[in-house]
């Protein structure tokens, strides 16, 4: 992976493949928080269970009565069900894509952002900076842990998303029930 150098559009597929190669497909449980960058609204908690091997996931967000799910090539959301690819299925639940960061829409067309810089910070964290194609001052970042290949933080133009817990689940472990989210007393501490 080329660190600390400006990337060209031709580098994007290589960087995506290198990010994907950091992670072994597994069944993972993740919990986290998302909040608007302006900080005016309360942070919302979420839970994701994803299995890359069978291309399935479930997503629960605090305050939502509906559980978004993807299995057998079908996305089940509050809007109904629709056949869609695994790569596109996370559109209704963006935190799902943090667990497969090479599938983030930020990697170029059809999105308006593309990666321009990869930096290593504090040992095993990769800071990937994405720039808007029409405005170089408009940037977004994700922070990927080299140890598990998961994006633990995403700083978008309008919101921040952060994983607070992640673990690999045993194959025979039952799927967790819909979580009961307790009220957050403060924003989780950022540690690198």
């Amino acid at each position: 992976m080329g660190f600390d150098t400006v990337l060209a559009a031709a580098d994007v597929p290589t960087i995506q493949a290198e990010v994907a190669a950091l992670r072994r497909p597994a069944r993972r449980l993740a919990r986290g928080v998302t909040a608007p960058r302006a900080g005016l609204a309360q942070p919302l908690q979420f839970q994701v269970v994803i299995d890359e091997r069978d291309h399935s996931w479930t997503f629960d967000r605090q305050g939502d009565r509906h559980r978004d799910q993807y299995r057998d090539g079908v996305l089940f959301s509050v809007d109904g069900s629709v056949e869609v690819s695994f790569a596109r299925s996370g559109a209704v639940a963006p935190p799902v894509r943090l667990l497969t960061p090479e599938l983030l829409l930020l990697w170029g067309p059809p999105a308006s952002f593309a990666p321009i810089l990869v930096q290593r910070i504090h040992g095993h964290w990769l800071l990937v900076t994405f720039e808007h194609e029409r405005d170089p001052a408009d940037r977004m970042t994700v922070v990927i842990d080299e140890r598990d290949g998961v994006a633990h933080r995403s700083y978008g133009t309008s919101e921040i998303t952060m994983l607070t817990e992640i673990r690999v689940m045993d194959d025979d472990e039952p799927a967790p029930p819909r979580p009961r989210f307790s009220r957050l007393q403060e924003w989780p501490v950022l540690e690198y």
Side-chain angles (χ1 to χ4, degrees), residues 37-187:
R37 282 196 85 131
L40 302 175
Q42 251 326 76
L44 293 177
Q45 299 173 78
F46 61 84
Q47 175 179 280
V48 175
V49 175
I50 187 170
D51 191 333
E52 288 183 78
R53 296 166 302 181
D54 72 359
H55 289 169
S56 67
W57 55 260
T58 61
F59 179 75
D60 295 292
R61 184 186 341 250
Q62 183 179 12
D64 285 356
R65 292 177 181 241
H66 179 78
R67 170 180 261 188
D68 294 317
Q69 296 183 51
Y70 180 79
R71 68 179 183 277
D72 301 323
V74 179
L75 173 64
F76 301 90
S77 73
V78 71
D79 296 326
S81 60
V82 63
E83 287 188 29
V84 65
S85 70
F86 179 71
R88 295 178 45 100
S89 68
V92 299
V96 170
R97 287 192 169 136
L98 294 180
L99 297 161
T100 53
E102 71 279 1
L103 300 179
L104 287 164
L105 292 178
L106 297 170
W107 293 100
S112 300
F113 286 83
I116 59 157
L117 186 63
V118 179
Q119 299 169 286
R120 181 174 278 126
I121 55 175
H122 300 283
H124 55 84
W125 298 97
L126 302 177
L127 172 64
V128 184
T129 302
F130 297 83
E131 182 179 279
H132 195 281
E133 65 185 1
R134 293 195 181 106
D135 183 358
D138 188 358
R139 296 187 178 193
M140 298 169 63
T141 60
V142 295
V143 180
I144 299 169
D145 189 336
E146 282 185 296
R147 298 172 300 182
D148 62 14
V150 170
H152 288 248
R153 292 170 184 61
S154 171
Y155 297 86
T157 55
S158 61
E159 76 178 11
I160 299 167
T161 304
M162 181 170 120
L163 297 182
T164 56
E165 175 188 342
I166 183 167
R167 69 177 177 83
V168 173
M169 297 175 67
D170 293 330
D171 286 338
D172 60 348
E173 186 176 345
R178 286 186 51 104
R180 292 181 160 259
F181 297 105
S182 58
R183 183 181 168 110
L184 282 177
Q185 300 303 318
E186 60 186 23
W187 185 255

Side-chain angles (χ1 to χ4, degrees), residues 12 27 108 133 178 180 189 192:
V12 172
R27 188 170 174 230
E133 65 185 1
R178 286 186 51 104
R180 292 181 160 259
V189 176
Y192 291 105

Side-chain angles (χ1 to χ4, degrees), residues 2 5-16 107-108 114-118 129:
T5 59
V6 176
L7 301 171
D11 298 326
V12 172
T14 301
I15 300 298
Q16 264 183 298
W107 293 100
I116 59 157
L117 186 63
V118 179
T129 302

